[in-house]
Amino acid sequence: MKTRNSFITVLFASMVSLIAIACNDKAAGPAKIGVDQDVKVAIYSTTENGCEADTISPCLIEETVHISELLHYPGEEGVTMPFNFYDTSRYSEITEGNLDKRIVISVNGQVVSTPVVKMKLDNGVCSVVLDDAQVSALFPNVNIEELLN
C-alpha cells in the first residue's frame, strides 16, 4: 500500500511538472501579428569584399510570396518574417549550391539579410529577421510597438 501511494505521489508530481513546463513553453512563444500581404523576395549570390558582400546579378530566384504574419520572439532583437518559396526545387538547388557561402536576400528590392547558408533546404521554408525600420518600410500598417510589447 505504501509503495502504491508513493507511486501515485510521484506520478502526480510528474504530471504537474509536465503541465507547468508546457504552460511555460507557451508563454515563451513568439508574439504574432497578422499582415496578409504579398512581397517580392529575391536571392542573389555574392562575392566577399573584405567585411562586405557584393551582390552578383542576375538573381538566383525571385518570387512574390505571401506573408501571413510577423513574429517577435521574447528576448530577441528584430521581427521574424517567415515565408515559403513556391519553387521548392529551385530553392533546394540554391541552398545546396551555396553551402557555407553568403547569399543576399532582398524584399521588395531592399536588402534585408546576408546569411551564410548552413544546410540544404528542400521545403521552400525561409525567414528573415527585420529591424524596426525595415518592418515600418515593408509593412506600414503594422504597429511595431504592439508586436514588441
Side-chain angles (χ1 to χ4, degrees), residues 120-138:
K120 177 183 176 183
L121 299 170
D122 292 325
N123 57 6
V125 173
C126 189
S127 67
V128 293
V129 177
L130 307 172
D131 62 29
D132 294 359
Q134 291 169 325
V135 172
S136 296
L138 295 169

Side-chain angles (χ1 to χ4, degrees), residues 105-113 131 133-134 137-138:
I105 301 174
S106 72
V107 179
N108 290 348
Q110 176 186 357
V111 173
V112 295
S113 184
D131 62 29
Q134 291 169 325
L138 295 169

Side-chain angles (χ1 to χ4, degrees), residues 50-104:
C51 295
E52 297 180 14
D54 293 330
T55 303
I56 299 175
S57 291
C59 71
L60 302 172
I61 189 171
E62 182 178 61
E63 288 187 1
T64 298
V65 299
H66 186 74
I67 309 301
S68 58
E69 63 186 4
L70 299 175
L71 310 171
H72 179 259
Y73 292 90
E76 297 290 325
E77 293 289 323
V79 174
T80 301
M81 182 187 84
F83 58 93
N84 292 331
F85 283 103
Y86 298 105
D87 188 346
T88 57
S89 61
R90 180 66 186 131
Y91 183 59
S92 177
E93 291 170 4
I94 291 167
T95 56
E96 182 177 37
N98 286 283
L99 289 172
D100 296 319
K101 296 178 187 173
R102 188 169 303 282
I103 59 172
V104 170

